[in-house]
Amino acid sequence: MQGPQIHPLGDSALLCSLPAPATLAQQQRIWALAALAARWEEVGEVVPGMNNLTLIARRPVADLDILTQRINQAWPKLGGAQSEGRDIEIPVVYGGAGGPDLESVARHTKLSIDDIISRHSAGQYVVYFIGFMPGFAYMGGLAPELATPRHTTPRVSIPAGSVGIGGEQTGIYPMASPGGWQLLGRTSLPLFDPAQDPPTLLRPGDRVRFTVERVEQ
């Protein structure tokens, strides 16, 4: 597997990015590098993203080349981190007010609405990372034929629990927010609760299945 491209972010952080497309095997290598780098003395924080990893130094580092060299030496020796993820089912009410984009996804994919619901709920998805907002899980594993671009103009407000497609990924909005994903339905399952420990329902490595609670017109 090709090594990461490494770019400085200011004087105290490095971005390690892998070439597209994002795959589970690549993401597992990202997790493995994150776990290793978190033990390095000069690294204060690791931030996994989709197909990339940001390393934040404990203090401004005059020569990030040293850290870059350490990454390049470690990368070929890494195996894919095997996450102890959980199996989680998320009930979804597809269509209706919670799924206003089913028809636009059908036009783009040339599939029927029933096919879209069937294929989306048949998949097993893996949480690659949490980002964008607390509890928002970016999940890989979407059937390629369901891939649909985000809206060109995002909506100002999307209700909490909205389940959508953004490009080749699927995800759930844990709280009301602006957003541009194609909305298929909505779940009543809470995704983020600051009173809980941990506060997010989903974690990287979890395996998610969507179940059809019902379909609304």
Side-chain angles (χ1 to χ4, degrees):
M1 183 182 297
Q2 182 177 340
Q5 293 186 331
I6 302 174
H7 310 277
L9 299 176
D11 62 356
S12 59
L14 289 176
L15 172 66
C16 310
S17 62
L18 294 175
T23 65
L24 180 57
Q26 290 196 158
Q27 196 68 20
Q28 288 172 331
R29 292 285 289 270
I30 290 288
W31 294 338
L33 179 59
L36 177 64
R39 299 196 295 270
W40 294 346
E41 181 181 0
E42 65 270 34
V43 175
E45 187 175 358
V46 296
V47 185
M50 179 68 81
N51 227 22
N52 63 67
L53 174 69
T54 298
L55 304 181
I56 302 173
R58 292 187 184 278
R59 61 190 67 85
V61 177
D63 188 1
L64 286 174
D65 288 344
I66 296 175
L67 188 55
T68 299
Q69 184 178 7
R70 195 166 187 180
I71 295 167
N72 287 329
Q73 289 175 343
W75 181 261
K77 305 172 187 175
L78 291 173
Q82 300 301 314
S83 171
E84 297 179 358
R86 303 159 299 160
D87 292 302
I88 296 177
E89 290 192 352
I90 296 181
V92 179
V93 177
Y94 285 92
D101 294 326
L102 272 173
E103 289 190 3
S104 63
V105 174
R107 285 194 298 272
H108 177 81
T109 61
K110 304 186 187 310
L111 296 171
S112 70
I113 287 177
D114 286 345
D115 279 342
I116 292 168
I117 295 172
S118 176
R119 296 181 191 210
H120 186 261
S121 59
Q124 184 186 68
Y125 304 96
V126 176
V127 176
Y128 279 20
F129 77 106
I130 303 293
F132 174 50
M133 69 176 71
F136 192 103
Y138 287 78
M139 290 181 272
L142 184 72
E145 63 271 22
L146 294 181
T148 305
R150 296 171 175 82
H151 288 289
T152 304
T153 302
R155 291 183 171 92
V156 174
S157 181
I158 290 177
S162 295
V163 177
I165 290 173
E168 299 176 349
Q169 303 163 56
T170 189
I172 313 162
Y173 287 84
M175 60 190 74
S177 75
W181 288 36
Q182 306 281 348
L183 305 183
L184 308 184
R186 195 176 301 166
T187 181
S188 58
L189 204 62
L191 275 295
F192 176 70
D193 182 352
Q196 299 296 316
D197 183 19
T200 61
L201 172 65
L202 300 176
R203 306 166 205 163
D206 284 346
R207 298 169 295 275
V208 172
R209 285 190 180 279
F210 296 106
T211 61
V212 182
E213 183 174 335
R214 65 178 183 276
V215 178
E216 294 184 343
Q217 300 299 317

